Amino acid sequence: MAPSRRKGVSKAAAAAAARRQWKVGDLVLAKVKGFPAWPAKVGEPESLGFAADWKKVVVHFFGTKPEQM
């Protein structure tokens, strides 16, 4: 039996492509498990004391307590 062909891109490649398209200050709809999608603003991880990670995007949700962003 021939090996099956993959359809589409891998999850890691899709995450990397998604991370590259967001820039600091962009308005996005962000989702956290267990909550609905909510408007948010992309921020810099270094300004909040986090290390940069290509798999994750730091966001500040609108309607929450104001932070340093």
Side-chain angles (χ1 to χ4, degrees):
M1 188 161 115
S4 62
R5 291 178 35 188
R6 286 188 170 199
K7 296 179 182 175
V9 296
S10 69
K11 289 183 181 180
R19 174 62 182 105
R20 282 188 290 252
Q21 72 184 11
W22 307 121
K23 295 178 180 51
V24 174
D26 284 350
L27 301 178
V28 297
L29 279 176
K31 175 92 173 73
V32 175
K33 188 175 181 178
F35 293 92
W38 200 260
K41 184 176 177 182
V42 176
E44 288 189 47
E46 292 84 14
S47 67
L48 297 173
F50 296 110
D53 185 356
W54 63 273
K55 293 182 184 180
K56 299 177 184 176
V57 179
V58 173
V59 297
H60 179 258
F61 289 99
F62 290 106
T64 60
K65 188 174 178 180
E67 295 262 342
Q68 301 172 6
M69 293 181 163

